[in-house]
Amino acid sequence: MSVRAGASFGPDDYRITRADLVRYAGASGDFNPIHWSDRVATSVGLPGVVAHGMYTMGLAARAVTSWLGDDQQIASFAVRFSKPVVVPDDDDGVVLSVTGTAKATDDEDRIRIDLTVTSADVKVLGMARAVVTDTVYG
Amino acid sequence: MPVDATLAGRTFEPTAPYEVSAAKIAEFAATLGASPDAVPTFGIVVAFAAMTDLMHDPDVGIELHNVVHADQRFEITRPIRAGDVLVARLTVDSVRQMAGTDIIATRSEITTTDGAHVCTAYATLAHRAGADVDA
């Protein structure tokens, strides 16, 4: 079933641990040590190891795509990484919560999904928006 | 050293062709717990290579650990599929300095080696200027 303007989802919760960041580093090719070394992360002024922004964006995209119908795809997706997601060195990690609301656009074949993405009640992504098209590319 | 503002407007050589495998998409999707049929952020794999080339350029020379990702946008023409052979061509749209940080806005056009547009990845990088020597 297709998502229409006015619909909403969430919160969808995703747990992030250090192990996830290591796997994501390997899969994405982003080996920035701020995502796996507390020593380097603190040396550049961060509280500790932080999740890749692209990992949190990827989880937000997962939340959207799992909500969409088979005849809908993301045509545009934008976020600001407004607050770092600090991931402690323990088995519990942190939880990322994603909620979204679909809005109409001037183009009747497109809707916009405004996302709220938080961790520990702090908004970590700003201006997080996906534009979804009904036109599925072959 | 702050990044030279004259970098703005420069377009870099395309990245080496990257052949997308089903295994790589599946690996990337699995880290997110996502379906391999729908990973709209996969283009970052190719765009990141272009950003790495930018950082390693002798005229730029910034260290990855001094860089924080400030924002990201994808404009997607079609999903990336296994078998695609992709290149990314990065342009620096703007460079500005703010409180000891270089704000570098980049745009990476991701196309097939035949020139067909797949997606454009816009990334703003925040670089701690003056931190590359001792960090």
Side-chain angles (χ1 to χ4, degrees), chain B residues 25-48:
Chain B
I25 294 177
E27 178 194 5
F28 187 94
T31 68
L32 297 162
S35 158
D37 298 328
V39 272
T41 61
F42 184 77
I44 199 65
V45 172
V46 186
F48 193 80

Side-chain angles (χ1 to χ4, degrees), chain B residues 33-66:
Chain B
S35 158
D37 298 328
V39 272
T41 61
F42 184 77
I44 199 65
V45 172
V46 186
F48 193 80
M51 288 186 254
T52 302
D53 288 352
L54 162 73
M55 289 184 270
H56 290 171
D57 186 274
D59 292 340
V60 183
I62 61 183
E63 300 281 351
L64 180 59
H65 64 261
N66 287 322

Side-chain angles (χ1 to χ4, degrees), chain A residues 89-107:
Chain A
D89 184 12
D90 61 29
D91 295 334
D92 295 331
V94 290
V95 173
L96 192 79
S97 290
V98 185
T99 60
T101 304
K103 307 266 173 73
T105 70
D106 291 341
D107 180 343

Side-chain angles (χ1 to χ4, degrees), chain B residues 6 14-15 29 33 38 62 65 71 73 82 86 88 92 107 112 114 134:
Chain B
T6 61
T15 52
I62 61 183
H65 64 261
D71 65 43
R73 174 160 66 101
L86 302 175
V92 176
R107 164 171 44 102
T112 65
D114 298 331
D134 58 358

Side-chain angles (χ1 to χ4, degrees), chain A residues 2 4 68-76 107-111 131-138, chain B residues 76-79 81:
Chain A
S2 298
R4 295 292 161 224
L68 296 177
D70 290 341
D71 56 344
Q72 294 179 302
Q73 286 182 341
I74 291 179
S76 169
D107 180 343
E108 63 177 23
D109 291 332
R110 292 182 170 219
I111 54 171
V131 175
V132 168
T133 174
D134 278 347
T135 313
V136 172
Y137 331 100
Chain B
I76 299 168
T77 299
R78 69 155 173 85
R81 307 183 191 103

